[in-house]
Amino acid sequence: MSPEAAKLLGAGIAAIGAGIAAIGVSNVFGKFLEGALRNPGAADGQQGRLFIGFAAAELLGLLAFVVAMILIFVA
């Protein structure tokens, strides 16, 4: 296997993290809506945690994207 092929293969595997981050974000929002519909009074208190969960999941997706770009253009 040539080094160029290995580099692109590694970037493709790293890019899978972006798709997994999308699943994580949808899971965070889905669970929030599920809890908010069960107990609407507690939804306001959980909204801050919703945004923290969203930010954490999105950060992992961006990190996977950066790793993929580094493997493509720098390595």
Side-chain angles (χ1 to χ4, degrees), residues 2-62:
S2 70
E4 183 70 22
K7 179 173 72 168
L8 293 175
L9 185 64
I13 292 171
I16 292 173
I20 293 174
I23 293 171
V25 168
S26 66
N27 191 20
V28 167
F29 279 105
K31 293 297 181 179
F32 173 75
L33 287 175
E34 182 181 323
L37 291 175
R38 285 180 185 239
N39 189 359
D44 290 336
Q46 297 299 320
Q47 195 168 11
R49 292 181 187 180
L50 167 73
F51 292 127
I52 290 172
F54 165 74
E58 197 64 31
L59 174 70
L60 293 176
L62 289 173

Side-chain angles (χ1 to χ4, degrees), residues 3-4 7-8 11 65-75:
E4 183 70 22
K7 179 173 72 168
L8 293 175
F65 177 74
V66 168
V67 167
M69 291 299 111
I70 287 173
L71 285 174
I72 290 174
F73 295 112
V74 177

